[in-house]
Amino acid sequence: MTRAAPWVVLLALVAGIAACVPTGGPNAEACAAPSVTLEMAPSPDGLAPGAPSVCRDQEVTLVVDSAVDGVLHIHGYDSEVPAFEVSADDVTEITFVAGRSGQFPIEFHSADDPTGVEVGVFTVHEP
Ligand SMILES: [Cu+2]
């Protein structure tokens, strides 16, 4: 178990509940945008801001500003987003199409501790 700020735990719980109804997501306006950019700052302690979500078929650009060096990947989205290195010194951008709805754990492997830690959940809503 990782140490996570209480609000991260709360968001994880909310995301877990939302897993039952991935259709109850963002409004139609949010889904109408053809592309979306998500900033995320992973660290071994979690992800900020909390729960990234998009709509199916959107082009997603992740802008990853990591606190430490490591490797990030999204379980269940490995074909669209192969595991990629992030660095404490650089911002890493990766773009892909979110072709499948569902909830996909975001896992971070820091360079210091290669054991994977789930830092958050990437949600793809049905539009
Ligand atoms: Cu992993």
Side-chain angles (χ1 to χ4, degrees):
M1 192 62 193
T2 56
R3 287 182 304 117
W7 64 270
V8 173
V9 174
L10 180 63
L11 282 171
L13 286 173
V14 170
I17 293 163
C20 304
V21 275
T23 47
N27 57 35
E29 198 179 328
C31 286
S35 63
V36 58
T37 298
L38 297 175
E39 293 181 13
M40 58 172 65
S43 78
D45 292 330
L47 189 69
S53 73
V54 302
C55 301
R56 181 170 51 75
D57 295 336
Q58 281 183 319
E59 183 185 81
V60 181
T61 298
L62 301 180
V63 180
V64 184
D65 188 1
S66 181
V68 296
D69 294 347
V71 170
L72 200 71
H73 70 110
I74 304 176
H75 280 276
Y77 253 77
D78 297 287
S79 51
E80 293 88 344
V81 188
F84 59 99
E85 286 188 29
V86 297
S87 160
D89 301 323
D90 278 317
V91 173
T92 304
E93 282 194 24
I94 189 158
T95 299
F96 61 98
V97 174
R100 284 172 297 125
S101 59
Q103 295 209 291
F104 307 94
I106 302 169
E107 206 169 270
F108 186 69
H109 301 254
S110 78
D112 291 344
D113 176 10
T115 308
V117 172
E118 187 179 319
V119 293
V121 175
F122 175 62
T123 301
V124 181
H125 297 281
E126 278 296 311

